[in-house]
Amino acid sequence: MSLKKHSVVINVPKVFDWVTRQVDLQTISFREPELSNLFPGLVAPSPAESDLCSFLQTTPGYTTSARVLDESLYTSEVTNPLDRASVEVTLPSGKEVVLEKVKILARGLLEVDILDVNENIILTSNPIEFATIQTFYLSAPEDTVVSAFISSGQWDAEVVCDSAFSQLDISLTFCLDVHVSADVRLEVEASYVKPRLEFPISDLICRNQNYYPNPVSPVVFPGVTSAETE
């Protein structure tokens, strides 16, 4: 078979643009009576302790934690891919380029856990929705596909209780990755190849060993002399 190189046409995905943005969402806050209604497992010892903060007074050393439900994360382009607005942008180098205006929806659900001093969960909130629409200027010409995903993030929750004020604050920050791609045809120089030879690899577990137990019984190992064991 000839190894002479020749031109071939292949289909490959081409990345037109790729950006990563840190998204800091506005703090999500809940106050009474919405705050106590957020926790369906709240069972007060008495009517006087029916709200969340009164209940937490009976749980000294409690902490709060926020958990994002990974299966709820969702991203999509909300602009019409066939009608993206073009914008002229001047790069820091002074070069002018034409980019497309793209809007991305990112949303999901989270839950807030309240834990006792031993880090056992005593209350869990109903799922809380968060969402944002982010605007990007990307190289996204016609026939390209914009995809996005949340790659990582940080989230925390804090319950504030005092004599005249009670509130739950939730903070979210995450990284939003946005890719622009399309399948393209490329002409490249290539040649036929042959399979390589296999390496002589043995599957034996027990290989030959120059070692025998000492002393060696000729009854168990007939034909082995004592000289071979020394």
Side-chain angles (χ1 to χ4, degrees):
M1 186 177 292
S2 174
L3 297 180
K4 184 179 179 180
K5 291 186 177 181
H6 58 281
S7 295
V8 297
V9 177
I10 59 175
N11 285 325
V12 295
K14 175 185 176 180
V15 177
F16 285 77
D17 212 340
W18 177 14
V19 297
T20 300
R21 175 183 295 177
Q22 177 174 311
V23 179
D24 300 308
L25 293 187
Q26 184 176 357
T27 301
I28 303 173
S29 299
F30 296 92
R31 302 186 67 177
E32 293 293 357
E34 188 180 15
L35 173 57
S36 295
N37 294 334
L38 191 63
F39 294 88
L42 178 59
V43 179
S46 66
E49 300 173 352
S50 59
D51 64 276
L52 179 63
C53 283
S54 297
F55 172 81
L56 293 178
Q57 288 178 358
T58 64
T59 312
Y62 72 88
T63 57
T64 55
S65 175
R67 292 181 293 106
V68 168
L69 307 181
D70 291 340
E71 65 277 8
S72 71
L73 296 178
Y74 174 82
T75 58
S76 68
E77 181 183 2
V78 296
T79 45
N80 183 354
L82 302 177
D83 191 27
R84 299 176 183 135
S86 297
V87 180
E88 289 189 1
V89 178
T90 302
L91 301 179
S93 62
K95 181 180 178 181
E96 291 187 354
V97 296
V98 176
L99 300 178
E100 282 68 43
K101 184 178 181 180
V102 177
K103 293 186 177 182
I104 299 294
L105 166 67
R107 61 179 173 85
L109 298 172
L110 63 83
E111 292 178 343
V112 175
D113 295 324
I114 298 181
L115 305 91
D116 61 19
V117 68
N118 296 318
E119 297 189 350
N120 297 314
I121 297 176
I122 55 177
L123 287 176
T124 297
S125 73
N126 289 322
I128 301 167
E129 185 176 27
F130 62 90
T132 180
I133 294 179
Q134 299 288 312
T135 300
F136 295 85
Y137 293 93
L138 307 169
S139 175
E142 189 177 354
D143 296 329
T144 56
V145 176
V146 176
S147 58
F149 62 94
I150 296 174
S151 57
S152 61
Q154 293 181 343
W155 23 83
D156 61 78
E158 190 72 35
V159 177
V160 179
C161 296
D162 61 28
S163 58
F165 183 80
S166 57
Q167 181 167 301
L168 168 66
D169 288 335
I170 304 170
S171 302
L172 295 100
T173 298
F174 58 83
C175 297
L176 184 61
D177 279 57
V178 182
H179 294 194
V180 182
S181 62
D183 288 335
V184 297
R185 292 185 177 89
L186 297 180
E187 182 179 354
V188 298
E189 194 176 61
S191 63
Y192 292 105
V193 296
K194 296 181 179 180
R196 66 171 178 84
L197 297 176
E198 283 194 289
F199 298 128
I201 299 175
S202 174
D203 291 332
L204 293 177
I205 297 176
C206 300
R207 303 181 183 276
N208 294 331
Q209 302 287 345
N210 295 323
Y211 168 78
Y212 299 93
N214 191 19
V216 175
S217 170
V219 176
V220 180
F221 302 99
V224 178
T225 64
S226 59
E228 291 178 286
T229 65
E230 295 177 354

